Amino acid sequence: NAIRTGDPGDCDDDQIWTMSVTERDGRFFMLYTALSLAEGGRVQRTALATSDDLIRWTKSERNPVGEADARWYET
């Protein structure tokens, strides 16, 4: 696995879904769908991880980097 679910309380402590990787100037960026146990996996968020070699990935300290606006989406 490129990355694993997070520690309890992290935005991805339940499941990790769809991933997409892109490269820029020799650095790789992975956006992935993150689900948390706090909502029983009903709220999808976008999280980010980076890598310089496509083997070792570091999750962003700013995760989640995106989530649905509750005004437009329901859980």
Side-chain angles (χ1 to χ4, degrees), residues 38-60:
E39 301 91 13
R42 292 184 310 272
V43 178
Q44 295 183 21
R45 293 178 174 88
T46 303
L48 173 69
T50 57
S51 175
D52 293 324
D53 60 9
L54 291 174
I55 296 170
R56 292 176 296 274
W57 290 89
T58 303
K59 294 180 184 180
S60 173

Side-chain angles (χ1 to χ4, degrees):
N1 293 337
I3 56 174
R4 299 195 182 276
T5 54
D7 293 327
D10 288 350
C11 72
D12 60 358
D13 67 355
D14 185 16
Q15 297 180 48
I16 293 174
W17 286 2
T18 307
M19 301 171 184
S20 177
V21 176
T22 189
E23 181 268 338
R24 181 172 179 151
D25 298 327
R27 186 147 211 207
F28 299 91
F29 299 84
M30 175 196 299
L31 287 171
Y32 64 94
T33 306
L35 296 129
S36 174
L37 289 169
E39 301 91 13
R42 292 184 310 272
V43 178
Q44 295 183 21
R45 293 178 174 88
T46 303
L48 173 69
T50 57
S51 175
D52 293 324
D53 60 9
L54 291 174
I55 296 170
R56 292 176 296 274
W57 290 89
T58 303
K59 294 180 184 180
S60 173
E61 293 179 10
R62 298 180 306 160
N63 281 340
V65 295
E67 62 184 74
D69 186 326
R71 295 176 299 173
W72 309 109
Y73 297 93
E74 64 182 72
T75 59

